[in-house]
Amino acid sequence: MSTENEGNAVPAAPSVPPRPDTAPEGSSPGPGHSASGSSPAGPGAPGPGATETSEAATAAERPWQSPQPGHAPAQHPGAAWPPPPLPSYGGGGNGGPAWGAPVPAAEPRRRRAGGLVAAVLVAALVAGGVGGGIGYWAAESNDDATGSTTVSAVSPQDLKREPGTVAAVAGKALPSVVTIEAKSGAGGLDGPEGGGEAGTGTGFVYDREGHILTNNHVVASAADGGALSVIFSNGKKYDAEVVGRAQGYDVAVLKLKNAPPGLAPLPLGNSDKVVVGDSTIAIGAPFGLSNTVTTGIISAKNRPVASGDGSSGKNSYMSALQTDASINPGNSGGPLLDSSGAVIGINSAIQSAGNGLGQSQAGSIGLGFAIPINQAKTVAEQLIKTGRPVYAVIGATVDMAGEGTGAKIASEGAGGTAAVTPNGPAAKAGLKPGDVITGFGDKAIDSGPTLISEIWNHKPGDKITLTYERGGKEHKAEVILGEREGDS
């Protein structure tokens, strides 16, 4: 969605008190002015078309007159940006008038418009001359003084970041976040060009033994005969190998071949305790830009997402955490942190305008999805222990195309097999082909992907109450989830 800037109307210039007929006795020009009050043009003079009351034209003749309350000094080049916040309405700061306080009205005078333009121009030139004169005078005085009055800026490394700030969280987490380079085929990562498909993703230190947690689709191209390399934020590079990967969950575990001592695993949070509106911090290598930090909030929970790697034709399913933190290709496998720095998810997929869910090269539109860390941790432990994932199943094939009316059990399974596995969990619960599952525990089911996401959020052996419709009537059944080992 494109946006356009709209300019604000320029307020009318405030009036100034009438000019006295004579100057006060004993007055003298201020620094930077000649006795006649003339001044060379300085920076900050407005261009043609600016307006002001004609009294400003006399400023060059009366350098003793102080600026009127309510007039802001001109912004000088090099001033800090953004400017400091405006004062609150209803109170004047530093002895100035309250915002909205009346300004003394000027005596009615008749002046031509041309005189107004000339007046503001002269006033600006005088202000510029005074500013330049004072700046030069201050610098010259400092050179001649016995003690310097220069104040040194505090370097960034000397500034203390309070715990919980983005800077503090990122500074602590970055050394444990890695950029993953994956290359398939012969030649390795440093081999000749064309040696295989290459890609970049992200991961993070899972334990002190050198295990790295990431997405399956980050390393899938290098899993069979390819090469993997892990680069830390300090630039040090290590070879790695795949310990195990789960295509359905989109989770993979790597291990450094020569893990350095002193690895600091990122602390794991509790994704079940996350609520909408919680702050999030994502770290990754979007489009190859390593050590990139972005921020946002949790936009939604339990978002059913089916994502593909664009090459295998197989989808991964997750009941995802949705975030508006900027996530782009290359962020995949990186940590999604909460405000304390604990990992609450693994960034995995984005919604791209016009391209659906996946890992296409389109950029972030503020819809990113992360695998909840509670689920990812369970999968990671399985992969480290056995090298193979374990999936919870109900023993029924559901239609993955229908949406909005529930998950319909298909008429037959893949390759003409039975849609309801004989003696499987669904069969034991009495489900049949054509039944439409509309509830899984306390979760509403509107499609096949939503059902799979919810099933895989549980463990084999969990007992779940299913709600389903048959012949227009609603029924309930208790199902004890079965298991399937490995990716089919």
Side-chain angles (χ1 to χ4, degrees), residues 269-271 274 280 298 321 336-338 342-346 371-373:
N270 185 348
S271 52
V274 171
T280 59
I298 292 293
L321 297 175
L336 185 68
L337 309 173
D338 62 16
V343 181
I344 54 175
I346 301 177
I371 304 166
I373 195 59

Side-chain angles (χ1 to χ4, degrees), residues 13 28 45 89 98 144 157 168 221 238 254 264 269 305 319 335 354 357 384 389 400 486:
S28 60
Y89 281 88
D144 296 337
Q157 59 266 30
S221 62
Y238 301 87
L254 311 182
V305 172
S319 183
L357 290 163
I384 292 172
M400 303 301 284

Side-chain angles (χ1 to χ4, degrees), residues 24-191:
E25 294 182 3
S27 298
S28 60
H33 288 274
S34 64
S36 62
S38 61
S39 173
T51 60
E52 177 59 280
T53 56
S54 61
E55 282 70 23
T58 64
E61 301 173 4
R62 302 194 311 280
W64 58 82
Q65 184 173 347
S66 301
Q68 298 302 318
H71 286 255
Q75 183 72 34
H76 294 283
W81 185 259
L86 295 174
S88 301
Y89 281 88
N94 299 324
W99 279 61
V103 179
E107 294 182 2
R109 295 175 182 270
R110 293 186 179 181
R111 302 289 186 189
R112 291 188 298 175
L116 296 178
V117 175
V120 70
L121 179 61
V122 172
L125 291 177
V126 171
V130 170
I134 292 176
Y136 174 77
W137 172 80
E140 187 177 45
S141 298
N142 286 340
D143 288 341
D144 296 337
T146 56
S148 174
T149 59
T150 302
V151 177
S152 299
V154 179
S155 60
Q157 59 266 30
D158 295 333
L159 295 175
K160 181 181 179 182
R161 268 69 182 187
E162 294 296 327
T165 62
V166 174
V169 171
K172 187 174 182 180
L174 276 167
S176 300
V177 179
V178 299
T179 299
I180 299 172
E181 294 179 345
K183 191 171 185 180
S184 63
L189 291 168
D190 299 319

Side-chain angles (χ1 to χ4, degrees), residues 8 30 61 91 97 145 181 204 320 322 324 341 347 378 405 414 420 427 456-457:
N8 295 326
E61 301 173 4
E181 294 179 345
F204 60 92
Q322 180 181 326
D324 66 347
N347 300 318
T378 300
T405 57
V420 179
W456 287 357
N457 230 10

Side-chain angles (χ1 to χ4, degrees), residues 202 215 217 280-287 292-299 321-337 345-352 358-371:
T202 308
N215 282 143
H217 74 259
T280 59
I281 300 171
I283 303 179
F287 296 102
T292 295
V293 178
T294 56
T295 63
I297 62 168
I298 292 293
S299 305
L321 297 175
Q322 180 181 326
T323 180
D324 66 347
S326 183
I327 296 173
N328 289 286
N331 273 107
S332 293
L336 185 68
L337 309 173
I346 301 177
N347 300 318
S348 182
I350 59 174
Q351 174 74 51
S352 299
Q359 291 297 324
S360 65
Q361 290 300 304
S364 171
I365 58 172
L367 296 173
F369 304 94
I371 304 166

